[in-house]
Amino acid sequence: MTVSAAYLVGAREAGLLARYDELPFVAGEYEEPVRKELQWLVTYCDPALTRLPSWWSALPGLARAAVPRARSVVLRAPADAVPPAPWRRLVTYLRYDGVPASAGSGAGDCEVLPAVPAHDGPIRRWLTMALSAAAVSHGAPAGHTADPSFADTLLNSPGRLSFVAAQGGEAIGHATLLCDAEDEVTGRAHVELFDILVEAGDADRRNATGVLVAAAARHAADLGLPLFGNVVHTPAAEADPGEAVVTVLGGQGWRVDHVLWERPLFEPDSGGGVPSPGGEAAR
């Protein structure tokens, strides 16, 4: 990962740039907006740090010293970094260049159309469903509903473009893109596939998802930009379904760009009162 010089300058001016073993990293306090969880977020670290076992074990201590009330430490790492347990995948970011050779397969006819204002209601509901599911997968109570204002913010974003999949004249799903996205760490412009959701049976859902992804990739290619998407993992589950999704997408031409890894700073059953072990002082 090549970091933007402007990003490092801004981090230094904000007091967020630090060093471990003489190698730079950028970290600060962050409140996760859906779960309202306080984190110590490491948005960049020199790739050489991810190859140091001592770095991974030092992070909990560094996090507690910087943000004593933080519930977890979250770190952005290159695709090839694999930290030791109890670190767990939180989000995998994938990149697609070009246009899929196939627009999807399956039963039923499906038409993909650019969304119009009449589709805002269903798209708002689908976005809220996706945000709610992401929150539940990371510890929110079952039945949790995300604040609809998040969906409204996305709908009103100047760079937002949505496609809808229609079957029999009825919209059954959407793909919502943020076409003016930029990775602040690397400075790379891209199109972000923020969410894709289809309400249909298995075969029709696969077909509609395929044509929606193809439309999104085609739009990104027309802009001369890569398409980025992400897979939210379920760390608490015995079998994380996100791992299977990443594997399937890898077989379809997507490649992992970077990963957010998480380590809780408190034991899950402690009620927040008992810090989890680990963490040596920074050198």
Side-chain angles (χ1 to χ4, degrees):
M1 177 174 63
T2 302
V3 65
S4 162
Y7 176 75
L8 290 179
V9 169
R12 183 173 63 248
E13 292 176 347
L16 302 176
L17 180 64
R19 290 185 177 273
Y20 177 87
D21 204 24
E22 305 304 319
L23 296 169
F25 68 93
V26 176
E29 178 178 316
Y30 176 73
E31 184 179 75
E32 196 280 326
V34 176
R35 290 177 289 161
K36 303 299 183 182
E37 178 183 88
L38 190 63
Q39 301 171 344
W40 192 58
L41 178 61
V42 183
T43 52
Y44 168 76
C45 68
D46 189 291
L49 283 174
T50 65
R51 297 188 286 273
L52 294 178
S54 63
W55 162 247
W56 295 106
S57 61
L59 281 165
L62 294 171
R64 292 192 196 97
V67 186
R69 294 185 301 111
R71 302 287 304 176
S72 64
V73 53
V74 175
L75 181 141
R76 169 177 169 155
D80 59 353
V82 182
W87 288 89
R88 57 200 192 184
R89 291 180 190 269
L90 192 64
V91 185
T92 296
Y93 290 84
L94 300 110
R95 170 179 178 144
Y96 193 94
D97 294 279
V99 180
S102 170
S105 60
D109 297 324
C110 181
E111 184 181 15
V112 170
L113 306 167
V116 297
H119 295 127
D120 282 358
I123 293 172
R124 180 181 293 106
R125 181 172 64 85
W126 289 324
L127 287 170
T128 301
M129 288 172 60
L131 291 165
S132 301
V136 170
S137 72
H138 288 96
H144 169 84
T145 300
D147 186 340
S149 66
F150 289 123
D152 288 331
T153 298
L154 289 164
L155 283 170
N156 295 324
S157 173
R160 192 267 302 187
L161 174 70
S162 295
F163 292 98
V164 295
Q167 197 168 51
E170 180 182 357
I172 61 171
H174 81 119
T176 290
L177 313 178
L178 302 178
C179 301
D180 57 356
E182 180 179 293
D183 186 329
E184 66 171 351
V185 176
T186 64
R188 298 176 303 189
H190 61 272
V191 173
E192 180 179 348
L193 177 53
F194 182 85
D195 183 51
I196 187 166
L197 189 151
V198 176
E199 294 183 301
D202 288 346
D204 289 337
R205 185 175 64 252
R206 286 193 296 269
N207 185 59
T209 298
V211 292
L212 284 167
V213 170
R218 188 173 298 109
H219 183 75
D222 287 345
L223 295 176
L225 297 172
L227 179 67
F228 270 68
N230 67 76
V231 174
V232 178
H233 294 270
T234 309
E238 285 188 19
D240 173 19
E243 295 287 355
V245 174
V246 170
T247 299
V248 169
L249 291 174
Q252 296 174 356
W254 292 79
R255 58 187 178 87
V256 177
D257 186 80
H258 62 278
V259 179
L260 289 186
W261 293 88
E262 178 187 50
R263 176 168 174 169
L265 294 176
F266 294 89
E267 297 292 353
D269 60 349
S270 70
V274 181
S276 62
E280 61 184 66
R283 288 179 281 164

